Amino acid sequence: MATMLDEGEASDSELIGLAKDGDRGAFGRLVERHYDFVYRVAYRWCGRKADAEDIAQEVCVRIGRAIRDYRGGGAFTTWLYALTLNAARDYARKSAREGAKVQAFGTHALIAGETPEEPDERAEALWGTVRRLPDKQRDAVLLVYGEGLSHAAAAEAMAISEATVSWHIHEAKKRLKVLMRSAGED
């Protein structure tokens, strides 16, 4: 997927060469030039905006670590495509492991008697729906409403900004409203 360059603008190979030599500006221009490509590939792979953004960020980090080993045998975008798909697969495996941990914790809590014997059906339905939210929205809701943390404390726990936690909560509320209505809950 070739990009048309303005006259006087450095080519990918020039930027790669400079980035390999430690030129941060060249590295930044290279990443900026291809970020939309990486995001599109990630989004097509996972189908969720938040996950695609996380994957694209991970790819940017991986480019920084791997650029010195790039050999240039093929198109840069081919190498980038492979890097992006590997990051997406790693992200999916990580998400599956985290989901299994959450489920295992819930089972342990139930066995240990740390949950009420007869949970409120409406609350249980709501938390079941919360577990279906995208990972970051689910985490934000669990920390803020489940654990009673402030947005600032949740942000620290999630290693994101407070504004991002607020955004995840806002998006989660919108999504929960839709999911609960479709399940017949109001």
Side-chain angles (χ1 to χ4, degrees), residues 6-22:
D6 292 336
E7 190 174 323
E9 194 173 346
S11 69
D12 282 351
S13 351
E14 292 169 327
L15 292 175
I16 291 166
L18 291 168
K20 281 183 172 188
D21 291 336

Side-chain angles (χ1 to χ4, degrees), residues 92-155:
R93 282 190 290 272
K94 179 182 174 192
S95 294
R97 282 191 307 271
E98 288 175 2
K101 286 179 192 175
V102 168
Q103 186 175 11
F105 177 76
T107 301
H108 173 72
L110 186 62
I111 291 170
E114 295 174 11
T115 58
E117 290 287 324
E118 296 178 31
D120 176 27
E121 287 181 33
R122 186 163 169 78
E124 195 56 37
L126 177 62
W127 285 110
T129 306
V130 167
R131 286 188 283 279
R132 293 175 32 209
L133 291 171
D135 296 340
K136 297 220 177 195
Q137 290 177 15
R138 179 195 64 221
D139 293 350
V141 169
L142 290 173
L143 290 173
V144 172
Y145 294 105
E147 299 301 317
L149 296 181
S150 67
H151 286 211

Side-chain angles (χ1 to χ4, degrees), residues 4-182:
M4 297 300 293
L5 301 177
D6 292 336
E7 190 174 323
E9 194 173 346
S11 69
D12 282 351
S13 351
E14 292 169 327
L15 292 175
I16 291 166
L18 291 168
K20 281 183 172 188
D21 291 336
D23 185 330
R24 291 180 183 198
F27 176 76
R29 287 192 303 278
L30 188 65
V31 168
E32 184 178 358
R33 182 178 290 170
H34 294 283
Y35 184 85
D36 289 343
F37 168 76
V38 169
Y39 175 81
R40 271 193 317 276
V41 170
Y43 183 80
R44 286 184 186 136
W45 193 89
C46 68
R48 293 181 4 183
K49 182 181 178 189
D51 291 347
E53 289 169 350
D54 289 344
I55 292 165
Q57 289 299 313
E58 175 61 23
V59 170
C60 292
V61 171
R62 289 182 184 195
I63 292 170
R65 287 190 296 236
I67 194 72
R68 292 178 195 249
D69 297 329
Y70 175 70
R71 300 286 173 236
F76 181 67
T77 52
T78 302
W79 181 75
L80 208 49
Y81 184 71
L83 204 63
T84 304
L85 289 181
N86 285 333
R89 288 184 199 106
D90 290 347
Y91 185 84
R93 282 190 290 272
K94 179 182 174 192
S95 294
R97 282 191 307 271
E98 288 175 2
K101 286 179 192 175
V102 168
Q103 186 175 11
F105 177 76
T107 301
H108 173 72
L110 186 62
I111 291 170
E114 295 174 11
T115 58
E117 290 287 324
E118 296 178 31
D120 176 27
E121 287 181 33
R122 186 163 169 78
E124 195 56 37
L126 177 62
W127 285 110
T129 306
V130 167
R131 286 188 283 279
R132 293 175 32 209
L133 291 171
D135 296 340
K136 297 220 177 195
Q137 290 177 15
R138 179 195 64 221
D139 293 350
V141 169
L142 290 173
L143 290 173
V144 172
Y145 294 105
E147 299 301 317
L149 296 181
S150 67
H151 286 211
E156 187 175 334
M158 295 174 69
I160 58 177
S161 73
E162 187 175 345
T164 304
V165 168
S166 298
W167 180 82
H168 284 306
I169 294 289
H170 173 74
E171 291 298 309
K173 285 179 179 179
K174 289 191 322 191
R175 183 168 285 182
L176 283 170
K177 186 182 256 184
V178 170
L179 290 171
M180 294 300 284
R181 279 192 181 141
S182 68

